[in-house]
Amino acid sequence: MLFFKRRKSIHLTTGAKGDLALSEEADVVVSGVFEGEIRVRGDLIVEKEATIRARIEAENVRVKGKVYGDIQASKEVELFPGAELRGDVKASSLSIRKGARFWGQCEIIVQSLKEKKETSMSPEETAQFLEIDVNT
């Protein structure tokens, strides 16, 4: 018999200011306005109607709405059609779908499973990790 541990899920639906820092694993879904700083040990989902003005740290960040601020993700940042990101990204992977907009710089982090350390990459190596639709 298999048992799956389900992470907690937190939904922010109204305007809020401040710092959101979760010490336990949880996923956060924002569908309103948030201003401040977000540090999550889990995934952050920015819904289409959401606007965030914050510095963000999470495992994965999925943006469908608007984000004004820098994002640091231990795994992936994904921008969906209609998303807007004005800020810098530091992540293992960045995916920008057709119709999404991104203004900023990106630093791709390569983590060794054994060492879990950050290393720098050349522009050519970085290009291999980016998935950008240039036909927009």
Side-chain angles (χ1 to χ4, degrees):
M1 187 177 280
L2 295 173
F3 293 97
F4 295 97
K5 185 176 179 181
R6 188 174 180 195
R7 280 200 274 213
K8 292 181 182 180
S9 184
I10 297 168
H11 296 265
L12 300 175
T13 58
T14 60
K17 283 186 175 183
D19 293 340
L20 174 64
L22 301 177
S23 59
E24 61 184 81
E25 286 191 21
D27 295 331
V28 175
V29 178
V30 179
S31 57
V33 177
F34 184 87
E35 198 170 321
E37 186 169 334
I38 299 174
R39 290 183 312 277
V40 180
R41 289 183 55 206
D43 296 346
L44 174 69
I45 299 168
V46 182
E47 294 291 358
K48 189 173 188 171
E49 62 277 6
T51 300
I52 296 179
R53 296 181 187 281
R55 185 174 164 278
I56 297 169
E57 291 181 25
E59 282 183 13
N60 295 294
V61 180
R62 313 235 184 280
V63 181
K64 300 173 186 174
K66 296 178 182 171
V67 174
Y68 303 95
D70 297 340
I71 297 176
Q72 182 171 340
S74 58
K75 294 182 182 174
E76 180 181 28
V77 174
E78 189 170 5
L79 305 179
F80 289 86
E84 291 185 18
L85 171 58
R86 293 180 184 262
D88 296 339
V89 172
K90 186 176 182 180
S92 295
S93 175
L94 172 63
S95 176
I96 302 174
R97 304 249 181 117
K98 184 175 182 177
R101 293 190 257 175
F102 171 50
W103 297 270
Q105 297 181 354
C106 176
E107 180 181 346
I108 299 298
I109 301 167
V110 178
Q111 291 186 339
S112 164
L113 293 176
K114 292 180 182 178
E115 299 173 11
K116 290 226 177 199
K117 72 174 192 175
E118 296 179 12
T119 59
S120 296
M121 296 173 57
S122 71
E124 293 79 18
E125 292 170 321
T126 302
Q128 291 177 7
F129 288 95
L130 293 177
E131 297 174 23
I132 300 175
D133 187 86
V134 293
N135 297 321
T136 58

